[in-house]
Amino acid sequence: MKKWICFLALLLFAGLAPVASGISVQAQARPDDTIMEGVYAGEISLAGMTQAQAQEAVQAYVDSLGGSVITLNVVDGNTVTTTAAQLGMSWSNQSLVNEAVNLGKAGNVVARYKAVKDLAYENKVYDIQFSFDQEAIASLIENDCAKYNVEAIDAHLNRVNGEFVIEEGQTGVVIDNSASETAVYEYLTTQWKGGDASVDLVVTQEQPQGN
């Protein structure tokens, strides 16, 4: 009886050992591996692509967005336009391609199995993220938009028919450069998904003196 118990224990150990080993072994995708069905970068299907092909496909898409017109809404209905490329647009999260090619192929057996099962029910979509040149944004606002500022006019004396008359001052509307630069950068890097877009600059009232 003891021999049978020992024999069964050995069989059980032999059966579980490969499973335990599979759970602990960390797999990695090969360079020539292709991306699984149902994997996207934004609206681009990466299915069947190698890492190099996916990198090229996403970069081509990002490059195509360079001509997107970005309109800055300034003061009193005035606008200044530029393009995404002129503001230094680039693709900031290129690591998504490596993640995509490893999906379902990297990690332990449980992680790989879960990734494959999840794709059977729902696509995996990686967001394409963008970065922009903050100095280019600042230069555009400070040099091209500032001309639309409406400066305050202080109260002053004006001679009318030989008599001095007090002319009331007028409130000005001017761009808050720092706040506007932040608003444009945050919109482009967190909300913009490509294509033409417009952003309102931050303006403040400038009070006249002497009223």
Side-chain angles (χ1 to χ4, degrees), residues 72 74 79-81 138-148 175:
L72 305 185
V74 196
T79 60
V80 171
T81 59
S139 177
L140 180 68
I141 292 173
E142 293 169 13
N143 296 320
D144 291 33
C145 299
K147 62 185 178 183
Y148 295 112
I175 299 166

Side-chain angles (χ1 to χ4, degrees), residues 42-58:
E43 297 181 356
I44 306 169
S45 173
L46 304 180
M49 295 184 185
T50 63
Q51 182 164 339
Q53 290 170 335
Q55 183 85 19
E56 184 178 350
V58 178

